[in-house]
Amino acid sequence: MQKGSEGKAITIYDIAKEAGVSPATVSRVLTKNAKVRPEKREKVEALIAKYNFKPNVLAKGLADTRTKTIGVLAADIRNPYYAALFVACEQAAREAGYTVVLYNSLGKTENEVELLGKLQEQKVDAIIQLGGRVDDLASSIEYVELINDIMSTIPVIVTGKLDGTRCHVVRIDSMKAVELLMEHLLGLGHRRIALVGGRQDVLATFEKSQMYKQILRENQIPYDPGLVLDDGGSYDFETGYRQMNEMLAKRSDMTAVIAVNDFTAMGVMKSLNEHGIRIPQDMSVVSYDNTYMAEMVMPRLTSIDYNYAEYGRKLIDTSIAMIEGRKKDALRMVTPSLVIRESSGPAPVTK
């Protein structure tokens, strides 16, 4: 057994400490795993040579340092979209023999950074990030660098994007979701369709607004900026209620509203009810996410469904493939579907 300068037997942990890396990184070097940065590999290999380190059978066992745990970092689990997706991940992980641990960032970047550190400390085998900074239209350089550092030892899978990283991505086909809603409303005779909720610095929201404009052009319908409020709104009930009130105060010619999610749709519907506008006779309301709220509200809400079970399976399947060093498509899309309920109907006939 190798001895250090103090006559102590050298272990994989000593190598890791002196190299400034994790024991898992040393294990990856010992097993010729490609997922080690060149500069870290050189440090570890130099120390292995320095001490003539040869792992015994017990040390070789450390090469498999898996905890069979996958960390999930959600933007805000109070949003039923994230709750449904986390449950789907949990079920898929259990079927695959893994457990999941959940952290909730509450939409705060500083929380995301702190919680990513905690997941590293827990030595999870992979990290799945649902929302948060990975939803940004323009990726933060600092956040990209942080994720790249984490990915030197732990694979990271995201539901948005992080330009400048090699994260694997499993995300919803946002363009298809808009197409389904617009086809539905246009087929019902609607031409003045409003968009409510969301922010244009969020990737999926930006994509949806661009597809909305494209579909209007394809149907020779002039784009009306007054039907799309860009006032730094959010994805909550309050935004839907406020923006719908503001829109109704300025005009009454729209016949349908696309809410950015079911939460926002609830606010839209409250505003319409308070103004004596019937749903769907006077105004159709449709949404994205198809959470439990879509079934609870009256009239029941037409909404885009993401097949959460499939979504969760793809996230977990991709995570396990990365853990095991198997190849997987860098981008996997989730195909949405439209669930039609009573909140959408034919456009009212103008007199």
Side-chain angles (χ1 to χ4, degrees):
M1 186 173 286
Q2 302 76 35
K3 304 286 184 181
S5 58
E6 299 177 357
K8 184 183 78 167
I10 294 295
T11 70
I12 192 172
Y13 298 101
D14 297 317
I15 298 286
K17 184 176 180 180
E18 189 169 340
V21 300
S22 70
T25 299
V26 178
S27 294
R28 289 188 176 98
V29 173
L30 289 168
T31 56
K32 310 299 183 184
N33 191 307
K35 292 182 180 180
V36 180
R37 288 184 180 180
E39 60 270 24
K40 291 186 177 181
R41 182 181 296 278
E42 289 174 8
K43 284 184 181 180
V44 172
E45 288 177 341
L47 289 169
I48 289 172
K50 173 183 175 182
Y51 295 114
N52 190 28
F53 180 74
K54 293 182 176 64
N56 56 26
V57 175
L58 177 61
K60 286 180 180 178
L62 292 170
D64 185 3
T65 58
R66 297 176 193 167
T67 62
K68 301 291 282 187
T69 302
I70 296 172
V72 178
L73 177 58
D76 194 338
I77 204 67
R78 293 171 298 185
N79 184 325
Y81 160 75
Y82 291 114
L85 186 50
F86 171 73
V87 169
C89 287
E90 187 174 33
Q91 291 173 337
R94 184 182 297 116
E95 291 171 4
Y98 279 74
T99 57
V100 291
V101 56
L102 172 68
Y103 281 111
N104 186 24
S105 71
L106 297 173
K108 297 180 179 179
T109 301
E110 59 271 25
N111 288 351
E112 290 182 44
V113 172
E114 177 188 353
L115 295 174
L116 284 169
K118 289 186 179 296
L119 287 171
Q120 285 180 283
E121 290 172 7
Q122 288 187 247
K123 295 181 170 53
V124 296
D125 295 333
I127 296 173
I128 297 173
Q129 184 162 359
L130 312 178
R133 295 310 300 266
V134 303
D135 282 345
D136 289 349
L137 182 61
S139 300
S140 158
I141 293 174
E142 294 79 9
Y143 202 76
V144 165
E145 289 177 345
L146 170 64
I147 294 298
N148 278 332
D149 184 62
I150 292 172
M151 288 186 66
S152 66
T153 56
I154 304 173
V156 178
I157 297 87
V158 303
T159 57
K161 73 174 181 69
L162 275 175
D163 297 326
T165 74
R166 299 181 70 181
C167 289
H168 276 64
V169 176
V170 179
R171 62 179 299 241
I172 298 158
D173 188 342
S174 298
M175 311 291 258
K176 181 62 177 179
V178 181
E179 185 180 344
L180 289 171
L181 283 181
M182 290 294 285
E183 284 181 355
H184 174 61
L185 293 174
L186 291 170
L188 291 169
H190 296 279
R191 295 296 180 270
R192 295 181 301 281
I193 303 168
L195 300 185
V196 172
R199 301 195 320 269
Q200 289 300 304
D201 61 349
V202 172
L203 174 64
T205 305
F206 176 78
E207 288 180 340
K208 288 171 182 173
S209 65
Q210 293 304 306
M211 190 63 178
Y212 163 84
K213 293 177 183 178
Q214 181 179 329
I215 293 172
L216 290 178
R217 284 193 294 269
E218 291 171 354
N219 287 273
Q220 290 78 52
I221 301 173
Y223 171 69
D224 184 345
L227 292 176
V228 183
L229 291 184
D230 186 14
D231 62 355
S234 189
Y235 298 81
D236 52 23
F237 173 92
E238 290 75 18
T239 293
Y241 181 67
R242 174 178 56 78
Q243 289 193 347
M244 196 71 249
N245 282 338
E246 291 174 3
M247 203 172 284
L248 290 172
K250 297 175 182 177
R251 61 195 305 164
S252 59
D253 59 336
M254 58 282 215
T255 63
V257 177
I258 298 177
V260 75
N261 63 16
D262 294 346
F263 254 156
T264 306
M266 300 300 107
V268 168
M269 295 173 86
K270 180 183 180 184
S271 172
L272 294 176
N273 288 331
E274 290 180 353
H275 283 82
I277 297 173
R278 299 169 302 165
I279 306 169
Q281 295 90 338
D282 304 321
M283 187 93 69
S284 288
V285 179
V286 299
S287 178
Y288 301 93
D289 291 359
N290 195 35
T291 64
Y292 67 86
M293 292 188 295
E295 282 282 356
M296 293 176 64
V297 70
M298 293 298 291
R300 296 185 310 153
L301 182 63
T302 294
S303 189
I304 290 289
D305 185 75
Y306 302 134
N307 190 347
Y308 290 99
E310 177 197 356
Y311 199 173
R313 277 195 300 271
K314 283 187 175 181
L315 284 164
I316 295 299
D317 177 56
T318 301
S319 300
I320 295 174
M322 296 303 97
I323 292 166
E324 296 177 350
R326 292 185 282 111
K327 289 189 178 296
K328 210 70 174 177
D329 290 340
L331 172 63
R332 302 179 73 187
M333 301 296 283
V334 176
T335 304
S337 60
L338 177 63
V339 179
I340 300 173
R341 300 188 180 92
E342 295 82 22
S343 70
S344 56
V349 178
T350 55
K351 297 180 181 179

